[in-house]
Amino acid sequence: MKLKTIAALVLASVCVHAAFAQEVLETGSRKPMPAEWIDKDTGHRVMRLSGVDGHPISNWYFHNNPFIQQLHDEGDKMVFQDRAGGDAQIFTLNLRTHKVEQVTNEPGQKRVLPMIARKTREVLWQAGDTIYATSVDTHATRKLYTFPAGKRGGLATINADGTMFAGSYAAPEQMEINRKYPKKSDYFNRIYDAHLLNSIFTINIATGEFKVVHEENNWLGHIQFSPTDPDVLMFCHEGPWHKVDRIWRYNIKDQSTTLMHKRTMDMEIAGHEGFSPDGKSIWFDLQRPRGEKFYFAGADVKDGHEIASYELARDEWSIHYAVAPGEKMFAGDGGDPTQVAKAPNGMFIYAFYPEGNRFRSEKLVNMKAHGYRDLEPNVHFTPDGKWVVFGGTFEGRHETYAVEIAKAKTK
């Protein structure tokens, strides 16, 4: 046999062995778990995503995008913040090679903002009153905006072409309620019942123009720009979900607002809303009524008409959901028995597949060792659609993981 053939066979044998190298374990049965393992209850491969020197990295909120898609075949990247040389810096984790790369080098305290400028491939961060953008490719940093004195608002999102920020601020009386009653159980209904003036603003990055575009005497939150249309954003009416028609679309060009879902019965709730990857629809948790019938529903961004409503079993209900490109697949992060669904066996990361007007579910990770009240998993699809990224506490601290959607090959 020729040497090249022997070498090829040896390499193939090594690759096959590597494919079967992960241990089959109950998730959370060890502290720490290995870097990779196969969940014995689901048959799916799970890996820990670690930062500098193995430090934990935080998982972003479900509707915020932490990923930079690859340009060629170098691998998609996930953005996170860690410390280097004593200062908070921004890094990327290559999801293919697991290589960690430092993006920012500026000294001093900074905060990574929960948004990425996709068109310019920049991560956004704030130091003091100033917003900066740093390229993940060249690491060049530029200043985008400095808040004038007395006008510092809470930035929430950047639009699809990277030209405009949006955020919100509330009347001083609302801030005083927050200060006086710091627990959510104490401030939540008080703020809702107060109906104080809330404002949504935009900032033109090129000109620095700060403009209030929408105001009303309702508690406003969850400001999100469309991932594809730079003139469309979404906001919600905060408060007890069974008392509010929560989800609204706003068009910057014509200043129109459109309700995305109108409640039709007592105790109906809709919330935890987010755009589809193509920006054409908005998806949300829907319960008719609360805690009894569970759906994941989508509405057309243009006029708010319902495009789909998939029913779930009680155990399949999830705190948050993620939408894959093409809307042919979804993911959920489950919930423990204390959540709204009171699910007796709902502590799983799920994949969902539409079949008619229902979801067919597949369990990806058993989360029974995870503390849902300590950390909401907040599922995300990776840009290639092959993994679901989520947070977990089953190793005794907050970590971020990825589970492969395809079943693992085991002996």
Side-chain angles (χ1 to χ4, degrees), residues 359-385:
F359 272 152
R360 173 177 62 83
S361 67
E362 181 181 6
K363 295 172 179 176
L364 301 180
V365 185
N366 189 329
M367 298 288 282
K368 70 178 182 181
H370 167 73
Y372 276 87
R373 287 296 177 179
D374 296 325
L375 180 71
E376 295 175 345
N378 285 302
V379 283
H380 302 266
F381 282 101
T382 55
D384 62 9

Side-chain angles (χ1 to χ4, degrees), residues 139-165:
H139 300 179
T141 294
R142 62 192 179 107
K143 183 172 78 171
L144 295 185
Y145 181 75
T146 299
F147 283 100
K151 280 197 174 181
R152 183 172 175 178
L155 286 185
T157 183
I158 189 170
N159 66 349
D161 61 7
T163 60
M164 187 175 292
F165 291 125

Side-chain angles (χ1 to χ4, degrees), residues 36 45 54 100 117 131 133 138 179 182 184 221 274 287 304 314 338-339 363 369 374 392:
E36 296 186 22
R45 179 160 62 117
V100 173
I131 311 299
T138 67
R179 186 198 65 78
K184 184 176 181 180
Q287 299 176 36
R314 182 176 298 276
T338 70
Q339 309 286 342
K363 295 172 179 176
D374 296 325

Side-chain angles (χ1 to χ4, degrees), residues 106 134 267 318 372 404:
E106 289 75 11
T134 301
M267 295 302 292
S318 296
Y372 276 87
E404 192 171 22

Side-chain angles (χ1 to χ4, degrees), residues 46 164 189 253 289:
V46 184
M164 187 175 292
N189 282 290
K253 277 189 174 179

Side-chain angles (χ1 to χ4, degrees), residues 5-308:
T5 303
I6 294 173
L9 289 172
V10 170
L11 178 61
S13 175
V14 169
C15 291
V16 169
H17 178 75
F20 295 120
Q22 291 87 15
E23 292 183 83
V24 179
L25 296 169
E26 180 179 302
T27 295
S29 60
R30 296 183 186 175
K31 292 179 176 54
M33 296 290 290
E36 296 186 22
W37 69 95
I38 295 171
D39 187 303
K40 81 173 185 65
D41 298 305
T42 70
H44 288 267
R45 179 160 62 117
V46 184
M47 68 172 64
R48 186 190 311 110
L49 304 180
S50 299
V52 181
D53 298 326
H55 290 175
I57 63 177
S58 59
N59 190 25
W60 290 29
Y61 195 47
F62 80 102
H63 67 61
N64 292 327
N65 171 48
F67 304 113
I68 298 285
Q69 194 165 0
Q70 64 183 4
L71 287 172
H72 304 291
D73 60 352
E74 72 277 12
D76 301 318
K77 297 178 180 180
M78 181 176 176
V79 174
F80 67 96
Q81 183 168 309
D82 207 331
R83 293 197 171 273
D87 291 324
Q89 301 293 352
I90 297 172
F91 297 79
T92 57
L93 171 68
N94 189 301
L95 295 174
R96 178 182 298 171
T97 67
H98 292 188
K99 177 183 177 183
V100 173
E101 184 176 5
Q102 186 170 336
V103 175
T104 60
N105 290 284
E106 289 75 11
Q109 293 299 311
K110 60 181 66 65
R111 178 174 68 90
V112 59
L113 296 175
M115 61 189 88
I116 289 171
R118 299 189 191 187
K119 186 175 181 180
T120 57
R121 297 174 59 82
E122 292 173 308
V123 296
L124 305 183
W125 51 279
Q126 184 169 350
D129 290 332
T130 302
I131 311 299
Y132 299 88
T134 301
S135 167
V136 298
D137 301 312
T138 67
H139 300 179
T141 294
R142 62 192 179 107
K143 183 172 78 171
L144 295 185
Y145 181 75
T146 299
F147 283 100
K151 280 197 174 181
R152 183 172 175 178
L155 286 185
T157 183
I158 189 170
N159 66 349
D161 61 7
T163 60
M164 187 175 292
F165 291 125
S168 64
Y169 62 88
E173 295 91 338
Q174 187 165 313
M175 301 300 102
E176 179 60 20
I177 294 174
N178 268 122
R179 186 198 65 78
K180 190 174 181 180
Y181 303 98
K183 292 183 179 180
K184 184 176 181 180
S185 58
D186 293 331
Y187 72 69
F188 197 72
N189 282 290
R190 283 182 168 89
I191 291 178
Y192 168 74
D193 291 334
H195 290 287
L196 298 167
L197 183 66
N198 276 234
S199 306
I200 296 174
F201 65 86
T202 60
I203 297 171
N204 185 305
I205 294 174
T207 66
E209 179 188 14
F210 183 103
K211 183 179 180 181
V212 173
V213 297
H214 181 74
E215 286 187 312
E216 57 181 285
N217 286 91
N218 285 298
W219 183 11
L220 305 180
H222 277 218
I223 316 297
Q224 304 171 52
F225 263 119
S226 161
T228 55
D229 189 332
D231 297 314
V232 170
L233 60 78
M234 172 172 50
F235 65 90
C236 80
H237 284 180
E238 291 279 19
W241 287 12
H242 62 283
K243 294 182 179 181
V244 296
D245 286 321
R246 177 181 164 97
I247 309 165
W248 297 80
R249 183 225 68 190
Y250 179 81
N251 188 293
I252 290 172
K253 277 189 174 179
D254 62 19
Q255 301 179 343
S256 64
T257 56
T258 302
L259 180 62
M260 291 289 103
H261 177 76
K262 176 70 176 175
R263 289 178 299 120
T264 59
M265 66 173 66
D266 184 44
M267 295 302 292
E268 179 175 343
I269 64 173
H272 278 170
E273 58 281 344
F275 282 100
S276 62
D278 62 10
K280 294 180 180 179
S281 55
I282 289 170
W283 291 84
F284 49 92
D285 172 18
L286 175 63
Q287 299 176 36
R288 287 173 163 163
R290 180 183 188 270
E292 294 188 29
K293 284 281 190 177
F294 307 94
Y295 305 86
F296 190 53
D300 186 273
V301 166
K302 290 182 179 180
D303 59 15
H305 81 269
E306 186 178 287
I307 59 173

